[in-house]
Amino acid sequence: MIANPKRYTITAALPYTNGPIHIGHLAGVYVPSDIYARFLRLQGKDVAFICGSDEHGVAISMKAKKEGITPQEVIDKYDGIIRKSFEDFGISFDNYSRTSAAIHHETASAFFKKMYDEGKFIEETTDQLFDEEAQQFLADRFVTGTCPKCANEEAYGDQCEKCGTSLNATDLINPKSTITGSTPILKSTKHWFLPLDQYDAFLKEWIIEGHKNDWKPNVYGQVSSWLNDGLKPRAVTRDLDWGIDVPVEGAEGKKLYVWFDAPIGYISSTKEWAQREGKDWEPYWKDQDTKLVHFIGKDNIVFHCVIFPAMLKAHGDYILPDNVPANEFLNLEGNKLSTSKNWAVWLHEYLQDFPEKQDVLRYALTANAPETKDNDFTWKDFQARNNNELAAIYGNFINRVVVLTHKYYEGIIPTPNALTEVDEQTLTELKAYPAVIASSIERYRFREALSELMNVARLGNKYLADEEPWKMVKTDPERVKTQMYVALQIASALAVLSEPFLPFTATKLKRILEIPADAQAQWNAISQGMPIIDANHTIGQAEILFAQIEDTEIQKQIDKLEATKSANKAEIASTKNTVMPQKEATTFDDFAKIDLRVGTIIEAEKMPKADKLLVLKVDTGIDVRTIVSGIAEHFTPEEVIGKRVTVLVNLAPRKLRGVESEGMLLLTNNAEGKLVFVNPEADGVENGALIG
């Protein structure tokens, strides 16, 4: 850890421009990174808060094919939506760039070329999946299949989103092209690989030893597991038609792999910012006194904690991240957020449906942030956070202070008299909050920091409730002057301390209290017990900071999600009820190779730690063999023992979670989508009888 950095480079994960921003992105990356950047600026720190659109991912090409438009049209459309959403929501990037920008192409190409010239890559000809129908090599996201680790049948070629395992497309069982639906073949092609195994010792020393005490447990644990499994060379180029050209001879038609080019986008975005601001970009990436912090979601941990650091180390000119405070996932109403299924709360739609309520969403997402485990966003909780916390605690305190100041003193802060022990104790407690909040933020505990901010509002409410100036004014008006002065100090402190978390509210409250603009001095003034607004200062009229959110508004959002759920069910049902068209014709010789036999399941048990798999012992008539079958979600082990089944016996054996499977059972789906066995029904048919 860097004790006293001269400057901070803060990066937020580059969003794919294949869709808008949703609340999962906000909770995982953009709200916490914005809190951190805003806080550091309040401390007078030199900050570069960097982001930009990731525009070369396979997801872009997939979206373009789906919508029948060009990749450029896709990225231009969603880059515009994302930029405006971030701006309207108050994410305070110092620069938001694009990986399609010329400065990024130049930076990424130069980064690759330096490593290439210094022999940091290995060149290999390998077998890659190729779609004969589409006549193209398949990038990882254009392939789906069964995960070899957990048997998830919808794993992608680069990662299983169910178990989180990082994969190569060739690892998948029963791979399918998402372009044509056909089964791809293996075809040779030349690529350049980063030999990650050569950086194993460096990474273990840097992370396992160097960051065991300061990185979040969820990040440290995932990285440790990955390193313990052993690192392998990873391709940095791909056969694609969209992306950055590989800048070496003999690489025609090949592009930089998006995982290689995207993190370099942080560097190119910093360059773009520095050029605009007349700064030197290099200290923000090359000076050892710079603290580099990556804010990401947990699906990006491996890339930012293992692969990108290995790239930086191999290049040789760059600093390494001081911390990568990745968050877990945010679910929505009990279900995983899904862009493809429209199961999301989209930021641009939220801003339309809840105008001027940016801070309510910021508050709800921070208060329920998935910092160490997955959390769930519900509209009812969102409403309760607003009505019972922001409005009832924070807003209520400010309203009472401002209204009473105008009622008793025409908006002019009174000169206090001698402070009582209660006054002294309250102001002493107030002095401690900047340091307490700062400590939580500096340790990336944003939920904890937000809770402490709300404790400032609770302090104010308790002080007013205990002192009751509305009663005291009738018997001791001089005492009330002191009470209101103290309450106004708490209110002004709230305006300053809220800025990282609730920037729109902080701006409005500063306007109401007519606080001058020197935020850095004000943060320090609170710690030192100095008043931010003094006696005889005039404040403005009260405004509603947090309006109540009615049940009807929440019901509209719940109804919208229910409509999405119904549409998804209807689509699934229509897909299941559709008879698949006949496959292409095959020859008798091909069919004759298949050996189908009648068998009986004689033993069955669940595969440990795998929801879908049963381990079966099947009497095929020619032997008793083990078959691993993904039917556990449809049948219990007890249900299938004794079942007559049709078995493909000459399927090449394959290991699933360490168990060798020696065949495949024939099943189909009924109209309800449930698996059913394709069984021989005739009496007197013995195990081992040949079907053909």
Side-chain angles (χ1 to χ4, degrees):
M1 294 178 64
I2 302 175
N4 296 296
K6 286 185 178 179
R7 67 193 67 79
Y8 292 77
T9 301
I10 304 166
T11 72
L14 308 184
Y16 281 134
T17 44
N18 68 326
I21 294 296
H22 60 57
I23 59 170
H25 302 131
L26 294 174
V29 177
Y30 304 110
V31 170
S33 60
D34 190 58
I35 292 171
Y36 189 64
R38 287 176 178 272
F39 162 74
L40 290 174
R41 294 191 194 107
L42 285 174
Q43 312 309 305
K45 304 299 185 183
D46 181 357
V47 173
F49 183 21
I50 300 299
C51 194
S53 293
D54 182 353
E55 301 181 334
H56 292 139
V58 174
I60 310 299
S61 299
M62 293 175 72
K63 189 77 171 182
K65 288 180 183 294
K66 184 177 180 180
E67 296 188 4
I69 57 179
T70 66
Q72 188 67 47
E73 289 174 305
V74 170
I75 64 176
D76 288 345
K77 172 184 175 181
Y78 289 110
D79 176 72
I81 293 173
I82 291 170
R83 280 174 186 269
K84 188 173 189 311
S85 296
F86 279 145
E87 183 180 346
D88 292 347
F89 194 60
I91 303 298
S92 61
F93 297 126
D94 289 301
N95 199 61
Y96 189 86
S97 189
R98 308 178 65 169
T99 59
S100 62
I103 194 170
H104 176 68
H105 279 242
E106 293 163 7
T107 302
S109 295
F111 196 106
F112 178 92
K113 191 66 164 59
K114 181 178 186 293
M115 292 177 63
Y116 175 84
D117 290 343
E118 294 176 356
K120 298 296 175 64
F121 299 124
I122 55 178
E123 184 180 314
E124 287 188 5
T125 298
T126 61
D127 289 337
Q128 301 290 327
L129 296 179
F130 184 83
D131 187 325
E132 291 182 294
E133 190 175 332
Q135 279 298 296
Q136 71 176 72
F137 283 97
L138 296 173
D140 295 338
R141 285 271 158 170
F142 280 122
V143 188
T144 59
T146 301
C147 172
K149 292 272 187 173
C150 72
N152 170 28
E153 296 175 356
E154 297 177 352
Y156 288 106
D158 60 347
Q159 187 177 44
C160 174
E161 295 190 348
K162 182 174 181 181
C163 70
T165 300
S166 181
L167 302 168
N168 290 311
T170 50
D171 296 333
L172 294 175
I173 301 166
N174 300 324
K176 295 288 182 185
S177 166
T178 62
I179 300 173
T180 64
S182 62
T183 300
I185 64 168
L186 289 173
K187 187 174 180 179
S188 295
T189 183
K190 180 177 70 175
H191 283 293
W192 287 267
F193 290 73
L194 178 63
L196 288 174
D197 49 313
Q198 294 180 15
Y199 301 91
D200 184 81
F202 149 70
L203 289 167
K204 285 179 177 175
E205 180 182 356
W206 174 61
I207 298 173
I208 305 302
E209 296 302 321
H211 287 293
K212 59 186 174 184
N213 296 321
D214 61 312
W215 280 19
K216 293 171 67 172
N218 57 315
V219 177
Y220 186 82
Q222 188 178 135
V223 175
S224 299
S225 176
W226 226 70
L227 292 175
N228 290 337
D229 283 346
L231 299 177
K232 299 176 183 177
R234 193 176 183 93
V236 300
T237 61
R238 268 293 182 259
D239 294 286
L240 294 171
D241 57 3
W242 177 251
I244 299 174
D245 293 332
V246 176
V248 297
E249 189 176 342
E252 292 73 20
K254 299 183 188 297
K255 308 291 183 183
L256 295 182
Y257 207 163
V258 67
W259 68 257
F260 183 88
D261 109 69
I264 299 172
Y266 300 139
I267 301 170
S268 60
S269 183
T270 307
K271 285 184 177 181
E272 188 177 78
W273 164 73
Q275 286 179 7
R276 186 181 69 245
E277 299 297 323
K279 292 176 175 284
D280 180 5
W281 72 272
E282 292 200 10
Y284 293 88
W285 279 96
K286 297 182 178 182
D287 192 317
Q288 293 299 324
D289 288 328
T290 297
K291 184 170 182 174
L292 173 61
V293 182
H294 296 310
F295 283 87
I296 56 168
K298 72 175 177 182
D299 53 337
N300 264 324
I301 288 175
V302 166
F303 294 102
H304 286 74
C305 299
V306 175
I307 297 173
F308 190 40
M311 290 167 54
L312 296 173
K313 179 71 172 177
H315 187 283
D317 292 345
Y318 293 93
I319 59 173
L320 298 172
D322 185 81
N323 212 311
V324 186
N327 276 356
E328 300 293 292
F329 287 154
L330 185 73
N331 297 321
L332 173 59
E333 300 285 355
N335 293 307
K336 183 179 178 181
L337 282 155
S338 172
T339 300
S340 61
K341 296 177 181 177
N342 195 32
W343 189 256
V345 176
W346 304 106
L347 178 55
H348 67 293
E349 292 183 358
Y350 171 87
L351 293 169
Q352 292 171 356
D353 293 345
F354 294 94
E356 299 185 9
K357 286 187 172 60
Q358 297 96 325
D359 283 352
V360 180
L361 185 57
R362 289 177 68 108
Y363 180 84
L365 294 177
T366 305
N368 197 32
E371 290 182 346
T372 55
K373 64 181 181 64
D374 291 357
N375 271 351
D376 194 41
F377 176 93
T378 70
W379 280 111
K380 289 292 187 184
D381 179 71
F382 167 83
Q383 181 187 27
R385 297 276 186 192
N386 179 81
N387 295 354
N388 303 338
E389 296 175 24
L390 289 175
I393 299 171
Y394 191 126
N396 179 59
F397 168 64
I398 295 298
N399 186 67
R400 287 200 290 180
V401 171
V402 175
V403 167
L404 290 177
T405 302
H406 276 275
K407 182 176 180 180
Y408 301 154
Y409 313 113
E410 297 182 336
I412 300 171
I413 298 177
T415 300
N417 295 296
L419 300 179
T420 66
E421 184 178 345
V422 171
D423 301 334
E424 295 278 9
Q425 183 179 339
T426 300
L427 291 174
T428 298
E429 191 172 340
L430 179 63
K431 282 171 55 177
Y433 276 107
V436 170
I437 292 171
S439 175
S440 295
I441 292 177
E442 287 165 350
R443 290 176 292 133
Y444 312 105
R445 297 180 179 180
F446 302 108
R447 290 173 63 174
E448 182 179 276
L450 181 65
S451 177
E452 294 296 346
L453 173 72
M454 288 302 291
N455 284 338
V456 178
R458 290 185 175 94
L459 174 69
N461 275 319
K462 184 178 187 304
Y463 179 78
L464 286 180
D466 291 346
E467 293 298 297
E468 297 182 313
W470 46 88
K471 292 182 179 179
M472 185 72 68
V473 74
K474 299 172 184 176
T475 59
D476 190 353
E478 288 302 309
R479 171 63 188 148
V480 173
K481 290 180 181 179
T482 307
Q483 292 170 339
M484 294 308 302
Y485 177 85
V486 171
L488 282 159
Q489 297 314 309
I490 299 172
S492 61
L494 262 180
V496 175
L497 299 175
S498 295
E499 205 280 337
F501 310 94
L502 310 170
F504 294 90
T505 303
T507 298
K508 184 183 289 188
L509 185 49
K510 287 176 184 177
R511 187 180 69 244
I512 293 170
L513 299 177
E514 299 196 10
I515 296 175
D518 192 353
Q520 179 188 344
Q522 291 158 4
W523 186 285
N524 294 332
I526 300 167
S527 298
Q528 295 163 11
M530 297 168 58
I532 294 172
I533 46 177
D534 218 331
N536 298 316
H537 175 86
T538 302
I539 66 172
Q541 295 291 332
E543 298 178 33
I544 295 175
L545 293 181
F546 304 102
Q548 291 283 315
I549 295 176
E550 304 298 332
D551 291 346
T552 53
E553 296 177 80
I554 296 302
Q555 193 58 49
K556 284 181 184 177
Q557 301 302 320
I558 294 172
D559 290 345
K560 185 190 293 188
L561 288 175
E562 286 300 320
T564 295
K565 191 179 291 185
S566 298
N568 288 337
K569 286 181 179 178
E571 183 177 349
I572 292 169
S574 66
T575 302
K576 288 178 177 177
N577 292 332
T578 300
V579 177
M580 295 293 291
Q582 177 181 305
K583 296 181 181 179
E584 61 182 71
T586 187
T587 66
F588 178 80
D589 290 341
D590 287 338
F591 180 74
K593 296 176 184 176
I594 297 173
D595 192 340
L596 295 172
R597 303 276 180 146
V598 176
T600 301
I601 299 173
I602 56 176
E603 293 180 23
E605 63 180 3
K606 290 203 73 172
M607 172 79 80
K609 298 182 180 179
D611 296 337
K612 293 186 177 182
L613 300 180
L614 290 184
V615 181
L616 311 173
K617 284 285 195 304
V618 181
D619 180 356
T620 66
I622 52 178
D623 57 19
V624 174
R625 63 179 64 188
T626 299
I627 295 177
V628 180
S629 185
I631 60 175
E633 292 182 335
H634 297 264
F635 303 98
T636 65
E638 294 75 21
E639 283 180 289
V640 299
I641 294 175
K643 278 274 189 188
R644 302 297 299 283
V645 291
T646 300
V647 188
L648 177 59
V649 295
N650 64 335
L651 184 68
R654 182 185 290 272
K655 277 195 173 183
L656 290 171
R657 298 184 73 86
V659 178
E660 189 168 82
S661 181
E662 303 174 285
M664 180 183 289
L665 306 184
L666 268 63
L667 296 99
T668 189
N669 292 98
N670 63 16
E672 288 74 43
K674 181 174 172 55
L675 286 178
V676 292
F677 287 97
V678 179
N679 290 337
E681 293 184 351
D683 293 334
V685 178
E686 299 293 331
N687 289 344
L690 191 64
I691 299 173

